Amino acid sequence: MDLPRQFTIRESSHRVRNPIDEAKLATFGAALRLPPGSSVLDLACGSGELLCTWARDHGCTGLGVDISTVFLASARARAEELGVASQVSFVHADARGYVASAPVDVAACVGATWIGDGVEGTVSLLRQSLRPGGVMVVGEPYWRLPPPDQATIEGCDALHSETFTSLPELVERFGALGCDVVEMVLADQDSWDRFEGPKWLNLRRFLDANPDDDLADEFRAELRTAALNHVRYRREYLGWGVFALMDR
């Protein structure tokens, strides 16, 4: 059980594996005003930047769950680097259906709502780990502008675009689930650039070092279109946000 190599190579230099950059992640953590000792469960935690930096900055404790052994190794190294290894831990597991052993103050899934087959299922899953009065944190894309054609959808790599809505419609969906949106931080075009741009350099350097790798042809084809698709489609049409939700 692991992620395909494509993902770990493409994002080999990333600390935050979504377009909420490190500054925005810090802004969001501060906005939640978490008391020291708050417990956090982060499903599909990636390299653990949320848990590790919030443990350092706000005294949180937490558990991260991810399917990628490569990302988890980075998360554990980051915890050591920031001096929070005693506050956070990480487990290699499929986040689908994962429920904390004890209720937590914050239950998060930032950018991986596929673990619940969408927003509704993910909110339902997070609720199972949340203490009364706790906060759910959900990261999700939305359309900044309505996509005019199929080429735009494909250029945004919006594989599940049928579930994407506008930002107002996404907030309405949260409300229909019985949640108040109590905070949010949205990606902007610059943070999209900082998420997408490093992938291209990672791929290029991998190809230069491994020209005969099994993935080389796939990555060469990707590099031919990645930057153009980003500036023509994703940067203009696709939004992304992290939302804090509390049950009514």
Side-chain angles (χ1 to χ4, degrees):
M1 180 176 64
D2 215 328
L3 270 184
R5 290 172 63 226
Q6 289 94 323
F7 292 94
T8 56
I9 294 168
R10 205 179 276 120
E11 298 183 14
S12 57
S13 64
H14 290 61
R15 283 183 174 166
V16 181
R17 301 189 183 282
N18 57 66
I20 297 297
D21 58 29
E22 293 174 39
K24 288 181 179 292
L25 183 63
T27 295
F28 189 78
L32 292 183
R33 297 178 297 219
L34 298 172
S38 295
S39 55
V40 182
L41 173 69
D42 190 5
L43 298 182
C45 67
S47 293
E49 191 70 3
L50 182 153
L51 280 174
C52 292
T53 56
W54 289 10
R56 177 195 63 190
D57 297 339
H58 309 295
C60 297
T61 63
L63 174 69
V65 180
D66 204 272
I67 199 172
S68 170
T69 55
V70 173
F71 291 167
L72 289 175
S74 296
R76 294 183 180 107
R78 184 65 166 153
E80 291 287 349
E81 176 187 358
L82 297 184
V84 296
S86 64
Q87 295 167 244
V88 298
S89 58
F90 300 93
V91 61
H92 178 231
D94 191 341
R96 288 182 184 270
Y98 193 96
V99 177
S101 58
V104 297
D105 298 302
V106 179
C109 176
V110 181
T113 56
W114 51 264
I115 69 170
D117 297 319
V119 168
E120 289 76 10
T122 299
V123 168
S124 177
L125 175 61
L126 294 176
R127 276 187 176 129
Q128 296 178 57
S129 295
L130 198 67
R131 69 162 180 80
V135 177
M136 290 175 281
V137 174
V138 176
E140 184 71 1
Y142 58 87
W143 291 117
R144 292 181 65 243
L145 299 170
D149 49 35
Q150 185 63 27
T152 302
I153 293 172
E154 293 175 3
C156 290
D157 196 25
L159 300 180
H160 304 291
S161 61
E162 69 278 0
T163 69
F164 294 1
T165 63
S166 68
L167 179 57
E169 289 169 328
L170 178 56
V171 172
E172 284 183 336
R173 287 172 72 187
F174 292 138
L177 296 172
C179 300
D180 288 324
V181 176
V182 297
E183 259 297 354
M184 70 178 190
V185 172
L186 304 181
D188 56 24
Q189 290 176 312
D190 289 341
S191 51
W192 264 120
D193 295 344
R194 300 293 8 101
F195 178 55
E196 293 297 324
K199 296 179 184 178
W200 314 331
L201 184 57
N202 292 339
L203 292 184
R204 180 67 215 204
R205 286 182 169 163
F206 177 84
L207 286 169
D208 288 346
N210 305 276
D212 299 318
D213 190 89
D214 292 344
L215 295 173
D217 289 343
E218 175 184 336
F219 284 164
R220 289 189 187 102
E222 182 175 336
L223 272 176
R224 292 187 190 104
T225 61
L228 182 58
N229 281 341
H230 174 62
V231 299
R232 178 177 285 166
Y233 299 121
R234 189 188 308 265
R235 198 175 193 272
E236 299 300 317
Y237 288 94
L238 196 60
W240 210 92
V242 180
F243 304 86
L245 314 174
M246 295 181 72
D247 283 328
R248 291 176 181 146

